[in-house]
Amino acid sequence: MGIPLRGLLARDRAALVVAPLAPLAVALLLVPLRTGLAGADAALVLVLAVVAVAALGNRVAGALAGLAAALWYDLFLTRPYGRLTITGSHDLVTAVLLLVVGLAVSQLAARARRLRVMTVVDAGLLARIHDTARLARSPGGPDAVVDRVGRHLVEILRLSGCRFEYGTLLGHPARLEQDGTVVVDHRTWDLERLGWPPGEIELRAASNGHYLGRFMLRPTPGVVPSRQARQVAVTLADDTGAALDTAGPALDR
């Protein structure tokens, strides 16, 4: 999973660079034709550049391309040429529509791309949830569930390692909460901005209000899994707690 995500981030960065340049290149190509080209036709050609940028990157890149398209349309394709001033009401309306359409198209293209990615991710995460639930109902015992969930956690959170501790809580490590956030010293940690906090991360396995153990996660430096993946990790830990609870008496928190 790591390689595709790095690829997506690289593509987003490339789209941000291309966003203002693609509409500029199209506008410059249209300059020799501007006297005989209707403003609406020129705007439609610029919209194609915006769509291409939005399909390549994210909605920020698409929105930036929409803003740039309106700017270059005003500067190069409307009178007076070379100035950010539109004298004709028709050209003004076209420029505004170009901006609005560019922003709307970028949102739609970015949403479609996100849905395609999320469909693939959802399928993989859902398969792990079903696998764990099926194993928890099998006669293999809770230790098999602990082992299987540990491997799933390493994969979906892209960890460098993971171990399980039975018994009472020791120390005060950072903790992965039910909603996918991370808490350090009773405060929410900005995981997306700061990355994982130092040291191991605690993920508790509990059932019916009883603590039964915890997974100790060793994050990979520089790798932050999605919130969705973290929430699935919590679900897997809950399944582990349920399997342990059915196997014998639990330890109160």
Side-chain angles (χ1 to χ4, degrees), residues 77-114:
L77 302 175
T78 63
R79 299 179 187 274
Y81 301 127
R83 294 173 57 189
L84 293 175
T85 303
I86 296 178
T87 56
S89 59
H90 179 74
D91 286 336
L92 177 60
V93 171
T94 301
V96 173
L97 288 176
L98 175 61
L99 175 59
V100 172
V101 171
L103 293 173
V105 168
S106 71
Q107 289 289 93
L108 291 173
R111 180 171 176 78
R113 175 193 168 201
R114 182 173 181 269

PDB file of all heavy atoms in Angstrom, residues 77-114:
ATOM      1  N   LEU A  77      -7.025  37.059 -23.505  1.00  0.00           N
ATOM      2  CA  LEU A  77      -8.051  36.764 -24.500  1.00  0.00           C
ATOM      3  C   LEU A  77      -9.227  37.734 -24.492  1.00  0.00           C
ATOM      4  O   LEU A  77     -10.200  37.530 -25.217  1.00  0.00           O
ATOM      5  CB  LEU A  77      -8.561  35.326 -24.302  1.00  0.00           C
ATOM      6  CG  LEU A  77      -7.484  34.234 -24.384  1.00  0.00           C
ATOM      7  CD1 LEU A  77      -8.070  32.864 -24.061  1.00  0.00           C
ATOM      8  CD2 LEU A  77      -6.808  34.226 -25.752  1.00  0.00           C
ATOM      9  N   THR A  78      -9.198  38.743 -23.654  1.00  0.00           N
ATOM     10  CA  THR A  78     -10.248  39.763 -23.641  1.00  0.00           C
ATOM     11  C   THR A  78      -9.634  41.148 -23.771  1.00  0.00           C
ATOM     12  O   THR A  78      -8.516  41.392 -23.345  1.00  0.00           O
ATOM     13  CB  THR A  78     -11.072  39.704 -22.339  1.00  0.00           C
ATOM     14  OG1 THR A  78     -10.229  39.988 -21.226  1.00  0.00           O
ATOM     15  CG2 THR A  78     -11.699  38.339 -22.156  1.00  0.00           C
ATOM     16  N   ARG A  79     -10.406  42.070 -24.343  1.00  0.00           N
ATOM     17  CA  ARG A  79      -9.938  43.450 -24.494  1.00  0.00           C
ATOM     18  C   ARG A  79     -10.157  44.212 -23.187  1.00  0.00           C
ATOM     19  O   ARG A  79     -11.187  44.013 -22.528  1.00  0.00           O
ATOM     20  CB  ARG A  79     -10.696  44.133 -25.647  1.00  0.00           C
ATOM     21  CG  ARG A  79     -10.487  43.473 -26.992  1.00  0.00           C
ATOM     22  CD  ARG A  79     -11.296  44.197 -28.060  1.00  0.00           C
ATOM     23  NE  ARG A  79     -11.251  43.485 -29.330  1.00  0.00           N
ATOM     24  CZ  ARG A  79     -10.278  43.658 -30.232  1.00  0.00           C
ATOM     25  NH1 ARG A  79      -9.309  44.514 -29.986  1.00  0.00           N
ATOM     26  NH2 ARG A  79     -10.296  42.978 -31.373  1.00  0.00           N
ATOM     27  N   PRO A  80      -9.211  45.120 -22.844  1.00  0.00           N
ATOM     28  CA  PRO A  80      -7.921  45.387 -23.510  1.00  0.00           C
ATOM     29  C   PRO A  80      -6.908  44.286 -23.186  1.00  0.00           C
ATOM     30  O   PRO A  80      -6.770  43.883 -22.040  1.00  0.00           O
ATOM     31  CB  PRO A  80      -7.491  46.717 -22.894  1.00  0.00           C
ATOM     32  CG  PRO A  80      -8.144  46.728 -21.543  1.00  0.00           C
ATOM     33  CD  PRO A  80      -9.448  45.987 -21.684  1.00  0.00           C
ATOM     34  N   TYR A  81      -6.222  43.775 -24.216  1.00  0.00           N
ATOM     35  CA  TYR A  81      -5.265  42.693 -24.054  1.00  0.00           C
ATOM     36  C   TYR A  81      -4.079  43.133 -23.192  1.00  0.00           C
ATOM     37  O   TYR A  81      -3.634  44.277 -23.253  1.00  0.00           O
ATOM     38  CB  TYR A  81      -4.756  42.222 -25.418  1.00  0.00           C
ATOM     39  CG  TYR A  81      -5.853  41.731 -26.340  1.00  0.00           C
ATOM     40  CD1 TYR A  81      -5.999  42.242 -27.619  1.00  0.00           C
ATOM     41  CD2 TYR A  81      -6.741  40.749 -25.911  1.00  0.00           C
ATOM     42  CE1 TYR A  81      -7.005  41.777 -28.470  1.00  0.00           C
ATOM     43  CE2 TYR A  81      -7.753  40.282 -26.742  1.00  0.00           C
ATOM     44  CZ  TYR A  81      -7.881  40.804 -28.016  1.00  0.00           C
ATOM     45  OH  TYR A  81      -8.882  40.348 -28.837  1.00  0.00           O
ATOM     46  N   GLY A  82      -3.590  42.201 -22.391  1.00  0.00           N
ATOM     47  CA  GLY A  82      -2.419  42.471 -21.561  1.00  0.00           C
ATOM     48  C   GLY A  82      -2.723  43.202 -20.281  1.00  0.00           C
ATOM     49  O   GLY A  82      -1.803  43.555 -19.533  1.00  0.00           O
ATOM     50  N   ARG A  83      -3.980  43.433 -19.975  1.00  0.00           N
ATOM     51  CA  ARG A  83      -4.362  44.120 -18.745  1.00  0.00           C
ATOM     52  C   ARG A  83      -5.463  43.327 -18.047  1.00  0.00           C
ATOM     53  O   ARG A  83      -6.323  42.729 -18.695  1.00  0.00           O
ATOM     54  CB  ARG A  83      -4.850  45.546 -19.051  1.00  0.00           C
ATOM     55  CG  ARG A  83      -3.780  46.461 -19.595  1.00  0.00           C
ATOM     56  CD  ARG A  83      -4.381  47.791 -20.036  1.00  0.00           C
ATOM     57  NE  ARG A  83      -5.096  48.425 -18.936  1.00  0.00           N
ATOM     58  CZ  ARG A  83      -5.861  49.519 -19.094  1.00  0.00           C
ATOM     59  NH1 ARG A  83      -6.010  50.063 -20.293  1.00  0.00           N
ATOM     60  NH2 ARG A  83      -6.473  50.047 -18.041  1.00  0.00           N
ATOM     61  N   LEU A  84      -5.443  43.354 -16.722  1.00  0.00           N
ATOM     62  CA  LEU A  84      -6.464  42.649 -15.951  1.00  0.00           C
ATOM     63  C   LEU A  84      -7.704  43.530 -15.827  1.00  0.00           C
ATOM     64  O   LEU A  84      -8.140  43.915 -14.733  1.00  0.00           O
ATOM     65  CB  LEU A  84      -5.921  42.266 -14.569  1.00  0.00           C
ATOM     66  CG  LEU A  84      -4.804  41.217 -14.564  1.00  0.00           C
ATOM     67  CD1 LEU A  84      -4.267  40.997 -13.166  1.00  0.00           C
ATOM     68  CD2 LEU A  84      -5.306  39.913 -15.158  1.00  0.00           C
ATOM     69  N   THR A  85      -8.262  43.853 -16.967  1.00  0.00           N
ATOM     70  CA  THR A  85      -9.464  44.688 -17.020  1.00  0.00           C
ATOM     71  C   THR A  85     -10.343  44.195 -18.157  1.00  0.00           C
ATOM     72  O   THR A  85      -9.879  44.059 -19.286  1.00  0.00           O
ATOM     73  CB  THR A  85      -9.106  46.164 -17.267  1.00  0.00           C
ATOM     74  OG1 THR A  85      -8.212  46.608 -16.244  1.00  0.00           O
ATOM     75  CG2 THR A  85     -10.366  47.031 -17.243  1.00  0.00           C
ATOM     76  N   ILE A  86     -11.593  43.929 -17.873  1.00  0.00           N
ATOM     77  CA  ILE A  86     -12.551  43.504 -18.887  1.00  0.00           C
ATOM     78  C   ILE A  86     -13.552  44.637 -19.099  1.00  0.00           C
ATOM     79  O   ILE A  86     -14.201  45.094 -18.151  1.00  0.00           O
ATOM     80  CB  ILE A  86     -13.286  42.219 -18.464  1.00  0.00           C
ATOM     81  CG1 ILE A  86     -12.300  41.055 -18.337  1.00  0.00           C
ATOM     82  CG2 ILE A  86     -14.375  41.858 -19.471  1.00  0.00           C
ATOM     83  CD1 ILE A  86     -12.929  39.757 -17.888  1.00  0.00           C
ATOM     84  N   THR A  87     -13.669  45.101 -20.331  1.00  0.00           N
ATOM     85  CA  THR A  87     -14.576  46.214 -20.625  1.00  0.00           C
ATOM     86  C   THR A  87     -15.943  45.736 -21.074  1.00  0.00           C
ATOM     87  O   THR A  87     -16.935  46.416 -20.854  1.00  0.00           O
ATOM     88  CB  THR A  87     -13.968  47.112 -21.719  1.00  0.00           C
ATOM     89  OG1 THR A  87     -13.673  46.319 -22.878  1.00  0.00           O
ATOM     90  CG2 THR A  87     -12.672  47.752 -21.221  1.00  0.00           C
ATOM     91  N   GLY A  88     -16.018  44.566 -21.691  1.00  0.00           N
ATOM     92  CA  GLY A  88     -17.297  44.076 -22.186  1.00  0.00           C
ATOM     93  C   GLY A  88     -18.009  43.221 -21.160  1.00  0.00           C
ATOM     94  O   GLY A  88     -17.401  42.370 -20.511  1.00  0.00           O
ATOM     95  N   SER A  89     -19.315  43.459 -20.979  1.00  0.00           N
ATOM     96  CA  SER A  89     -20.086  42.697 -19.997  1.00  0.00           C
ATOM     97  C   SER A  89     -20.142  41.220 -20.363  1.00  0.00           C
ATOM     98  O   SER A  89     -20.138  40.346 -19.488  1.00  0.00           O
ATOM     99  CB  SER A  89     -21.502  43.272 -19.894  1.00  0.00           C
ATOM    100  OG  SER A  89     -22.164  43.215 -21.149  1.00  0.00           O
ATOM    101  N   HIS A  90     -20.175  40.931 -21.663  1.00  0.00           N
ATOM    102  CA  HIS A  90     -20.219  39.536 -22.103  1.00  0.00           C
ATOM    103  C   HIS A  90     -18.946  38.804 -21.693  1.00  0.00           C
ATOM    104  O   HIS A  90     -18.997  37.669 -21.188  1.00  0.00           O
ATOM    105  CB  HIS A  90     -20.400  39.471 -23.622  1.00  0.00           C
ATOM    106  CG  HIS A  90     -20.432  38.065 -24.150  1.00  0.00           C
ATOM    107  ND1 HIS A  90     -21.514  37.231 -23.977  1.00  0.00           N
ATOM    108  CD2 HIS A  90     -19.489  37.344 -24.827  1.00  0.00           C
ATOM    109  CE1 HIS A  90     -21.259  36.059 -24.522  1.00  0.00           C
ATOM    110  NE2 HIS A  90     -20.041  36.099 -25.059  1.00  0.00           N
ATOM    111  N   ASP A  91     -17.801  39.459 -21.900  1.00  0.00           N
ATOM    112  CA  ASP A  91     -16.528  38.829 -21.512  1.00  0.00           C
ATOM    113  C   ASP A  91     -16.433  38.678 -19.994  1.00  0.00           C
ATOM    114  O   ASP A  91     -15.852  37.702 -19.494  1.00  0.00           O
ATOM    115  CB  ASP A  91     -15.352  39.678 -22.021  1.00  0.00           C
ATOM    116  CG  ASP A  91     -15.155  39.544 -23.521  1.00  0.00           C
ATOM    117  OD1 ASP A  91     -15.580  38.512 -24.078  1.00  0.00           O
ATOM    118  OD2 ASP A  91     -14.597  40.465 -24.136  1.00  0.00           O
ATOM    119  N   LEU A  92     -17.002  39.630 -19.265  1.00  0.00           N
ATOM    120  CA  LEU A  92     -16.976  39.541 -17.800  1.00  0.00           C
ATOM    121  C   LEU A  92     -17.773  38.327 -17.329  1.00  0.00           C
ATOM    122  O   LEU A  92     -17.322  37.565 -16.469  1.00  0.00           O
ATOM    123  CB  LEU A  92     -17.550  40.817 -17.190  1.00  0.00           C
ATOM    124  CG  LEU A  92     -17.657  40.842 -15.651  1.00  0.00           C
ATOM    125  CD1 LEU A  92     -16.286  40.664 -15.021  1.00  0.00           C
ATOM    126  CD2 LEU A  92     -18.317  42.130 -15.181  1.00  0.00           C
ATOM    127  N   VAL A  93     -18.947  38.147 -17.919  1.00  0.00           N
ATOM    128  CA  VAL A  93     -19.769  36.989 -17.554  1.00  0.00           C
ATOM    129  C   VAL A  93     -19.051  35.696 -17.906  1.00  0.00           C
ATOM    130  O   VAL A  93     -19.062  34.727 -17.130  1.00  0.00           O
ATOM    131  CB  VAL A  93     -21.133  37.068 -18.272  1.00  0.00           C
ATOM    132  CG1 VAL A  93     -21.915  35.768 -18.075  1.00  0.00           C
ATOM    133  CG2 VAL A  93     -21.946  38.240 -17.756  1.00  0.00           C
ATOM    134  N   THR A  94     -18.399  35.670 -19.068  1.00  0.00           N
ATOM    135  CA  THR A  94     -17.679  34.465 -19.484  1.00  0.00           C
ATOM    136  C   THR A  94     -16.553  34.142 -18.510  1.00  0.00           C
ATOM    137  O   THR A  94     -16.339  32.968 -18.155  1.00  0.00           O
ATOM    138  CB  THR A  94     -17.109  34.646 -20.901  1.00  0.00           C
ATOM    139  OG1 THR A  94     -18.177  34.913 -21.815  1.00  0.00           O
ATOM    140  CG2 THR A  94     -16.369  33.393 -21.352  1.00  0.00           C
ATOM    141  N   ALA A  95     -15.814  35.181 -18.070  1.00  0.00           N
ATOM    142  CA  ALA A  95     -14.713  34.961 -17.128  1.00  0.00           C
ATOM    143  C   ALA A  95     -15.225  34.402 -15.805  1.00  0.00           C
ATOM    144  O   ALA A  95     -14.632  33.479 -15.219  1.00  0.00           O
ATOM    145  CB  ALA A  95     -13.948  36.271 -16.892  1.00  0.00           C
ATOM    146  N   VAL A  96     -16.346  34.967 -15.312  1.00  0.00           N
ATOM    147  CA  VAL A  96     -16.918  34.475 -14.056  1.00  0.00           C
ATOM    148  C   VAL A  96     -17.392  33.038 -14.205  1.00  0.00           C
ATOM    149  O   VAL A  96     -17.154  32.191 -13.342  1.00  0.00           O
ATOM    150  CB  VAL A  96     -18.074  35.392 -13.597  1.00  0.00           C
ATOM    151  CG1 VAL A  96     -18.786  34.784 -12.389  1.00  0.00           C
ATOM    152  CG2 VAL A  96     -17.558  36.780 -13.261  1.00  0.00           C
ATOM    153  N   LEU A  97     -18.067  32.747 -15.319  1.00  0.00           N
ATOM    154  CA  LEU A  97     -18.526  31.380 -15.553  1.00  0.00           C
ATOM    155  C   LEU A  97     -17.357  30.407 -15.677  1.00  0.00           C
ATOM    156  O   LEU A  97     -17.430  29.258 -15.225  1.00  0.00           O
ATOM    157  CB  LEU A  97     -19.390  31.337 -16.822  1.00  0.00           C
ATOM    158  CG  LEU A  97     -20.778  31.979 -16.703  1.00  0.00           C
ATOM    159  CD1 LEU A  97     -21.488  31.944 -18.054  1.00  0.00           C
ATOM    160  CD2 LEU A  97     -21.615  31.267 -15.645  1.00  0.00           C
ATOM    161  N   LEU A  98     -16.275  30.877 -16.302  1.00  0.00           N
ATOM    162  CA  LEU A  98     -15.089  30.033 -16.427  1.00  0.00           C
ATOM    163  C   LEU A  98     -14.559  29.662 -15.048  1.00  0.00           C
ATOM    164  O   LEU A  98     -14.210  28.499 -14.794  1.00  0.00           O
ATOM    165  CB  LEU A  98     -14.016  30.767 -17.234  1.00  0.00           C
ATOM    166  CG  LEU A  98     -12.663  30.075 -17.373  1.00  0.00           C
ATOM    167  CD1 LEU A  98     -12.807  28.739 -18.096  1.00  0.00           C
ATOM    168  CD2 LEU A  98     -11.679  30.970 -18.113  1.00  0.00           C
ATOM    169  N   LEU A  99     -14.531  30.638 -14.152  1.00  0.00           N
ATOM    170  CA  LEU A  99     -14.063  30.381 -12.798  1.00  0.00           C
ATOM    171  C   LEU A  99     -14.997  29.408 -12.076  1.00  0.00           C
ATOM    172  O   LEU A  99     -14.544  28.434 -11.462  1.00  0.00           O
ATOM    173  CB  LEU A  99     -13.973  31.699 -12.029  1.00  0.00           C
ATOM    174  CG  LEU A  99     -13.617  31.595 -10.534  1.00  0.00           C
ATOM    175  CD1 LEU A  99     -12.277  30.909 -10.352  1.00  0.00           C
ATOM    176  CD2 LEU A  99     -13.615  32.978  -9.905  1.00  0.00           C
ATOM    177  N   VAL A 100     -16.298  29.645 -12.169  1.00  0.00           N
ATOM    178  CA  VAL A 100     -17.267  28.794 -11.472  1.00  0.00           C
ATOM    179  C   VAL A 100     -17.233  27.370 -12.021  1.00  0.00           C
ATOM    180  O   VAL A 100     -17.195  26.389 -11.259  1.00  0.00           O
ATOM    181  CB  VAL A 100     -18.687  29.384 -11.611  1.00  0.00           C
ATOM    182  CG1 VAL A 100     -19.722  28.404 -11.060  1.00  0.00           C
ATOM    183  CG2 VAL A 100     -18.771  30.711 -10.869  1.00  0.00           C
ATOM    184  N   VAL A 101     -17.234  27.246 -13.348  1.00  0.00           N
ATOM    185  CA  VAL A 101     -17.206  25.912 -13.956  1.00  0.00           C
ATOM    186  C   VAL A 101     -15.897  25.201 -13.614  1.00  0.00           C
ATOM    187  O   VAL A 101     -15.887  23.998 -13.323  1.00  0.00           O
ATOM    188  CB  VAL A 101     -17.382  26.015 -15.487  1.00  0.00           C
ATOM    189  CG1 VAL A 101     -17.126  24.660 -16.148  1.00  0.00           C
ATOM    190  CG2 VAL A 101     -18.776  26.498 -15.818  1.00  0.00           C
ATOM    191  N   GLY A 102     -14.796  25.947 -13.644  1.00  0.00           N
ATOM    192  CA  GLY A 102     -13.504  25.341 -13.307  1.00  0.00           C
ATOM    193  C   GLY A 102     -13.492  24.795 -11.890  1.00  0.00           C
ATOM    194  O   GLY A 102     -13.022  23.673 -11.637  1.00  0.00           O
ATOM    195  N   LEU A 103     -14.031  25.564 -10.932  1.00  0.00           N
ATOM    196  CA  LEU A 103     -14.079  25.107  -9.542  1.00  0.00           C
ATOM    197  C   LEU A 103     -14.992  23.889  -9.404  1.00  0.00           C
ATOM    198  O   LEU A 103     -14.665  22.927  -8.699  1.00  0.00           O
ATOM    199  CB  LEU A 103     -14.560  26.243  -8.644  1.00  0.00           C
ATOM    200  CG  LEU A 103     -13.617  27.442  -8.505  1.00  0.00           C
ATOM    201  CD1 LEU A 103     -14.299  28.563  -7.719  1.00  0.00           C
ATOM    202  CD2 LEU A 103     -12.326  27.038  -7.810  1.00  0.00           C
ATOM    203  N   ALA A 104     -16.147  23.930 -10.065  1.00  0.00           N
ATOM    204  CA  ALA A 104     -17.090  22.813  -9.966  1.00  0.00           C
ATOM    205  C   ALA A 104     -16.512  21.533 -10.567  1.00  0.00           C
ATOM    206  O   ALA A 104     -16.616  20.445  -9.988  1.00  0.00           O
ATOM    207  CB  ALA A 104     -18.401  23.181 -10.663  1.00  0.00           C
ATOM    208  N   VAL A 105     -15.894  21.653 -11.733  1.00  0.00           N
ATOM    209  CA  VAL A 105     -15.317  20.483 -12.396  1.00  0.00           C
ATOM    210  C   VAL A 105     -14.197  19.889 -11.554  1.00  0.00           C
ATOM    211  O   VAL A 105     -14.057  18.669 -11.441  1.00  0.00           O
ATOM    212  CB  VAL A 105     -14.812  20.856 -13.802  1.00  0.00           C
ATOM    213  CG1 VAL A 105     -13.961  19.737 -14.383  1.00  0.00           C
ATOM    214  CG2 VAL A 105     -15.981  21.152 -14.724  1.00  0.00           C
ATOM    215  N   SER A 106     -13.399  20.760 -10.942  1.00  0.00           N
ATOM    216  CA  SER A 106     -12.294  20.260 -10.118  1.00  0.00           C
ATOM    217  C   SER A 106     -12.819  19.479  -8.921  1.00  0.00           C
ATOM    218  O   SER A 106     -12.257  18.451  -8.537  1.00  0.00           O
ATOM    219  CB  SER A 106     -11.411  21.421  -9.641  1.00  0.00           C
ATOM    220  OG  SER A 106     -12.083  22.201  -8.671  1.00  0.00           O
ATOM    221  N   GLN A 107     -13.920  19.940  -8.322  1.00  0.00           N
ATOM    222  CA  GLN A 107     -14.509  19.222  -7.203  1.00  0.00           C
ATOM    223  C   GLN A 107     -15.023  17.858  -7.629  1.00  0.00           C
ATOM    224  O   GLN A 107     -14.808  16.852  -6.954  1.00  0.00           O
ATOM    225  CB  GLN A 107     -15.667  20.045  -6.627  1.00  0.00           C
ATOM    226  CG  GLN A 107     -15.224  21.299  -5.880  1.00  0.00           C
ATOM    227  CD  GLN A 107     -14.561  20.972  -4.561  1.00  0.00           C
ATOM    228  OE1 GLN A 107     -13.338  20.851  -4.477  1.00  0.00           O
ATOM    229  NE2 GLN A 107     -15.345  20.805  -3.528  1.00  0.00           N
ATOM    230  N   LEU A 108     -15.712  17.815  -8.764  1.00  0.00           N
ATOM    231  CA  LEU A 108     -16.258  16.551  -9.247  1.00  0.00           C
ATOM    232  C   LEU A 108     -15.161  15.557  -9.614  1.00  0.00           C
ATOM    233  O   LEU A 108     -15.240  14.373  -9.284  1.00  0.00           O
ATOM    234  CB  LEU A 108     -17.156  16.817 -10.460  1.00  0.00           C
ATOM    235  CG  LEU A 108     -18.468  17.557 -10.183  1.00  0.00           C
ATOM    236  CD1 LEU A 108     -19.171  17.896 -11.485  1.00  0.00           C
ATOM    237  CD2 LEU A 108     -19.378  16.723  -9.288  1.00  0.00           C
ATOM    238  N   ALA A 109     -14.127  16.052 -10.297  1.00  0.00           N
ATOM    239  CA  ALA A 109     -13.044  15.158 -10.706  1.00  0.00           C
ATOM    240  C   ALA A 109     -12.288  14.622  -9.496  1.00  0.00           C
ATOM    241  O   ALA A 109     -11.945  13.435  -9.435  1.00  0.00           O
ATOM    242  CB  ALA A 109     -12.089  15.903 -11.642  1.00  0.00           C
ATOM    243  N   ALA A 110     -12.036  15.509  -8.520  1.00  0.00           N
ATOM    244  CA  ALA A 110     -11.318  15.071  -7.325  1.00  0.00           C
ATOM    245  C   ALA A 110     -12.146  14.080  -6.523  1.00  0.00           C
ATOM    246  O   ALA A 110     -11.625  13.107  -5.975  1.00  0.00           O
ATOM    247  CB  ALA A 110     -10.959  16.285  -6.465  1.00  0.00           C
ATOM    248  N   ARG A 111     -13.466  14.314  -6.451  1.00  0.00           N
ATOM    249  CA  ARG A 111     -14.333  13.385  -5.720  1.00  0.00           C
ATOM    250  C   ARG A 111     -14.371  12.019  -6.392  1.00  0.00           C
ATOM    251  O   ARG A 111     -14.336  10.984  -5.717  1.00  0.00           O
ATOM    252  CB  ARG A 111     -15.743  13.969  -5.619  1.00  0.00           C
ATOM    253  CG  ARG A 111     -16.700  13.050  -4.869  1.00  0.00           C
ATOM    254  CD  ARG A 111     -18.018  13.737  -4.599  1.00  0.00           C
ATOM    255  NE  ARG A 111     -18.965  12.843  -3.975  1.00  0.00           N
ATOM    256  CZ  ARG A 111     -18.977  12.501  -2.694  1.00  0.00           C
ATOM    257  NH1 ARG A 111     -18.062  13.010  -1.890  1.00  0.00           N
ATOM    258  NH2 ARG A 111     -19.864  11.682  -2.198  1.00  0.00           N
ATOM    259  N   ALA A 112     -14.439  12.011  -7.715  1.00  0.00           N
ATOM    260  CA  ALA A 112     -14.456  10.740  -8.438  1.00  0.00           C
ATOM    261  C   ALA A 112     -13.171   9.965  -8.196  1.00  0.00           C
ATOM    262  O   ALA A 112     -13.181   8.751  -7.985  1.00  0.00           O
ATOM    263  CB  ALA A 112     -14.645  11.004  -9.930  1.00  0.00           C
ATOM    264  N   ARG A 113     -12.050  10.660  -8.211  1.00  0.00           N
ATOM    265  CA  ARG A 113     -10.764  10.006  -7.952  1.00  0.00           C
ATOM    266  C   ARG A 113     -10.717   9.443  -6.544  1.00  0.00           C
ATOM    267  O   ARG A 113     -10.281   8.315  -6.315  1.00  0.00           O
ATOM    268  CB  ARG A 113      -9.648  11.012  -8.159  1.00  0.00           C
ATOM    269  CG  ARG A 113      -8.267  10.469  -7.807  1.00  0.00           C
ATOM    270  CD  ARG A 113      -7.268  11.609  -7.741  1.00  0.00           C
ATOM    271  NE  ARG A 113      -6.020  11.165  -7.147  1.00  0.00           N
ATOM    272  CZ  ARG A 113      -5.123  11.987  -6.603  1.00  0.00           C
ATOM    273  NH1 ARG A 113      -5.355  13.269  -6.611  1.00  0.00           N
ATOM    274  NH2 ARG A 113      -4.025  11.522  -6.084  1.00  0.00           N
ATOM    275  N   ARG A 114     -11.206  10.215  -5.565  1.00  0.00           N
ATOM    276  CA  ARG A 114     -11.190   9.769  -4.178  1.00  0.00           C
ATOM    277  C   ARG A 114     -12.070   8.544  -3.983  1.00  0.00           C
ATOM    278  O   ARG A 114     -11.708   7.608  -3.268  1.00  0.00           O
ATOM    279  CB  ARG A 114     -11.675  10.901  -3.277  1.00  0.00           C
ATOM    280  CG  ARG A 114     -11.646  10.560  -1.786  1.00  0.00           C
ATOM    281  CD  ARG A 114     -11.973  11.790  -0.951  1.00  0.00           C
ATOM    282  NE  ARG A 114     -11.933  11.482   0.454  1.00  0.00           N
ATOM    283  CZ  ARG A 114     -12.999  11.066   1.153  1.00  0.00           C
ATOM    284  NH1 ARG A 114     -14.157  10.916   0.550  1.00  0.00           N
ATOM    285  NH2 ARG A 114     -12.892  10.810   2.445  1.00  0.00           N
TER     286      ARG A 114
END
